[in-house]
Amino acid sequence: MTSYDPVMFSRMLTSLTLGFHIIFATIGVGVPLMIALAEWIGIKRGDAHYLLLARRWARGFVITVAVGVVTGTAIGLQLSLLWPSFMRVAGQAIALPLFLETFAFFFEAIFLGIYLYTWDRFKSRTAHFWLLVPVVIGSSASAFFITIVNAFMNYPVGFTYTDGKITDVNPIAAMLSPAMPTKVAHVLSSAYLTCALVLAAVSAWSLLKGRDHVYYKKALKLTMVSAFVFLVSTAVIGDLSGKYLAKYQPEKLAAMEWHFETQSHAPLVFGGVLDENNEVRYGLHLPNALSVLAHGYPSATVIGLNDIPKDEHPPLYIHYLFDIKMGYVGYMTLVVLLFLIAMRLRRGNPYAKWLLRLIIVAAPVAMLTIEHGWIFSEVGRQPWILRGLMRTSEGATTSEHVDTMLIVFSLLYLVLGITSVRVLTRMFRSNRAEDEMVARGMEEEEGGAIR
């Protein structure tokens, strides 16, 4: 009979909570920016379709914020209950960004309430738009500060560590971990990209169902063009992340590419299997690509796993996590480019049914990319919870009731997930955009033209 392992159950519960929360956190970061883009375009062009787009997106956003509050609270609770030793040691250094994250959320929530309840109450629409700016700043700042905590876990700085205790803490220096710039930028950019594709899928679904209305076409164009911009920025930041890993977390980079021998002109490996001698079979080798990813030029030397203590090796299956993630990125890139090409070609049809179906699939693919990215990030840091200082097994609780908590929180997330989907579905199914435009007396003065 297998003995009870509180570390395993703590990891399972934390993974479940983060995996569920990241869905709503991603929406909470990206959707406000998309709302702002829609409203700004509507104001500048005097286009009622974009203004209605902003209004409808804002309604749905409120539901996801409510669920995100619950799951975010669960994370805070579990940090103290499941990882008490970690919080006792690291809590002093990360207390400031945790506090600032809470402050950023309240800042966002206050202005979101004002924004929602002041539609049509200003003579100047621009005045109403400016109420949304703090919401965008607050949502992104919330992600910024909580990601700083994760960056600190990957490369802790700003303190003295002696006999298992942190002293001489410099909170600002702790927030400025070398992992912070690339990790924060990647989280924000990928959240914007994912939300653009999720909203694009909603419009594509409506068009596929026969709602051939200019409102949905404008929504699809806005979201797909935005997705292209965020895709490019995410790719650039991803390249910088590889260079960060090469310098500060070489064991993670080596494990994700099954790179065992320190060498120059290192190839990047895609797919394959490892044999008993750690030789890669059936994989696709891209010559010099790992050296370029790590240091920017083909002859660069990349540290291999054989030069790192074996008890500090991350699990080698993160190679597959990274490959799957890059496969998702390839799919999203293909779909976005196909849409843009179809939109630019004289005889192209960006609203063809086959392309709409691809766009719909891109939404769950984008969210899975976020999930795989976080799993890769966290598993790739193992065996450390606080890299170089505290192992995951040392930071976990010794409680005998974590398995019960796992069941309780699983049920909670199941209820929240089903409820939020049902509420959002009913909210928009019973109140279609074209019906709302008629009810509000909006005229399609542009005759279906997409600007």
Side-chain angles (χ1 to χ4, degrees):
M1 185 175 179
T2 305
S3 60
Y4 173 83
D5 184 0
V7 177
M8 180 189 70
F9 281 108
S10 294
R11 292 184 66 180
M12 289 174 62
L13 178 52
T14 304
S15 299
L16 175 65
T17 302
L18 288 173
F20 187 71
H21 174 71
I22 199 66
I23 297 172
F24 297 93
T26 298
I27 293 172
V29 172
V31 170
L33 181 59
M34 295 306 301
I35 296 171
L37 287 174
E39 186 166 7
W40 181 253
I41 293 173
I43 292 171
K44 287 301 178 182
R45 296 181 179 176
D47 192 322
H49 296 117
Y50 286 104
L51 294 174
L52 180 61
L53 194 60
R55 186 192 291 256
R56 288 172 63 83
W57 282 350
R59 291 181 197 145
F61 175 62
V62 174
I63 306 301
T64 61
V65 168
V67 178
V69 169
V70 177
T71 54
T73 303
I75 291 175
L77 176 67
Q78 290 172 20
L79 276 176
S80 299
L81 292 179
L82 303 181
W83 308 101
S85 297
F86 163 73
M87 290 301 292
R88 183 168 58 252
V89 172
Q92 306 169 63
I94 61 175
L96 180 58
L98 286 174
F99 166 77
L100 291 174
E101 190 273 338
T102 304
F103 176 80
F105 170 74
F106 283 127
F107 183 72
E108 172 194 359
I110 290 169
F111 279 94
L112 177 61
I114 299 173
Y115 174 80
L116 289 172
Y117 287 102
T118 54
W119 275 98
D120 305 321
R121 294 177 182 266
F122 292 96
K123 291 183 178 180
S124 169
R125 290 192 180 276
T126 306
H128 180 255
F129 168 80
W130 288 116
L131 291 173
L132 182 60
V133 174
V135 179
V136 176
I137 294 173
S139 61
S140 295
S142 183
F144 174 84
F145 290 120
I146 204 64
T147 306
I148 282 178
V149 174
N150 186 265
F152 175 84
M153 295 167 67
N154 280 275
Y155 202 89
V157 293
F159 59 88
T160 301
Y161 189 72
T162 308
D163 299 327
K165 295 182 179 180
I166 285 181
T167 57
D168 302 324
V169 177
N170 183 334
I172 302 299
M175 291 175 64
L176 300 178
S177 163
M180 185 272 287
T182 54
K183 187 165 282 291
V184 167
H186 197 71
V187 165
L188 291 175
S189 182
S190 59
Y192 300 149
L193 168 62
T194 300
C195 286
L197 289 174
V198 168
L199 295 174
V202 173
S203 300
W205 177 269
S206 298
L207 289 167
L208 195 61
K209 289 299 181 180
R211 300 180 190 174
D212 190 24
H213 195 282
V214 65
Y215 168 89
Y216 299 110
K217 292 180 178 179
K218 288 181 178 180
L220 188 59
K221 179 184 177 183
L222 171 62
T223 51
M224 291 300 286
V225 171
S226 298
F228 172 74
V229 174
F230 299 138
L231 190 63
V232 172
S233 63
T234 303
V236 172
I237 297 165
D239 177 72
L240 295 175
S241 297
K243 291 169 174 55
Y244 157 78
L245 290 177
K247 183 175 182 179
Y248 294 102
Q249 289 182 270
E251 72 283 356
K252 187 174 181 178
L253 180 66
M256 88 180 194
E257 286 303 326
W258 286 349
H259 180 67
F260 293 92
E261 298 295 334
T262 299
Q263 66 181 85
S264 61
H265 300 279
L268 189 147
V269 179
F270 188 85
V273 294
L274 281 177
D275 63 15
E276 61 277 5
N277 299 316
N278 285 334
E279 294 291 334
V280 181
R281 296 183 180 275
Y282 316 116
L284 174 64
H285 292 70
L286 303 179
N288 306 321
L290 183 57
S291 291
V292 173
L293 174 66
H295 299 289
Y297 55 97
S299 61
T301 299
V302 182
I303 298 174
L305 275 176
N306 291 341
D307 288 337
I308 296 168
K310 198 164 185 178
D311 64 345
E312 297 180 9
H313 288 190
L316 293 179
Y317 68 81
I318 67 171
H319 171 75
Y320 294 118
L321 291 175
F322 182 74
D323 284 355
I324 293 171
K325 177 185 174 183
M326 295 312 297
Y328 290 152
V329 172
Y331 178 84
M332 291 186 290
T333 302
L334 175 64
V335 172
V336 171
L337 290 179
L338 284 174
F339 180 86
L340 294 181
I341 292 171
M343 188 175 68
R344 298 299 298 175
L345 290 177
R346 179 173 296 179
R347 296 188 178 182
N349 180 14
Y351 312 109
K353 288 187 176 181
W354 65 269
L355 184 52
L356 294 176
R357 292 189 181 98
L358 293 179
I359 293 171
I360 291 170
V361 174
V365 165
M367 195 59 74
L368 284 172
T369 306
I370 294 284
E371 297 282 5
H372 272 78
W374 273 107
I375 295 171
F376 166 76
S377 178
E378 297 305 290
V379 175
R381 192 180 62 245
Q382 300 307 312
W384 307 103
I385 188 172
L386 198 58
R387 184 182 178 274
L389 300 180
M390 177 181 288
R391 293 179 181 268
T392 303
S393 57
E394 298 169 343
T397 181
T398 57
S399 171
E400 299 180 355
H401 305 290
V402 183
D403 53 347
T404 303
M405 290 179 61
L406 177 60
I407 296 172
V408 172
F409 277 99
S410 296
L411 293 174
L412 171 64
Y413 302 148
L414 181 63
V415 171
L416 287 174
I418 293 174
T419 303
S420 58
V421 170
R422 287 179 63 86
V423 169
L424 287 170
T425 303
R426 290 188 177 185
M427 177 184 292
F428 292 105
R429 181 179 292 170
S430 61
N431 184 24
R432 302 194 308 175
E434 52 268 47
D435 297 334
E436 187 169 352
M437 279 187 278
V438 173
R440 292 180 177 276
M442 298 179 183
E443 297 180 358
E444 298 181 46
E445 69 282 354
E446 295 163 53
I450 311 302
R451 292 195 293 164

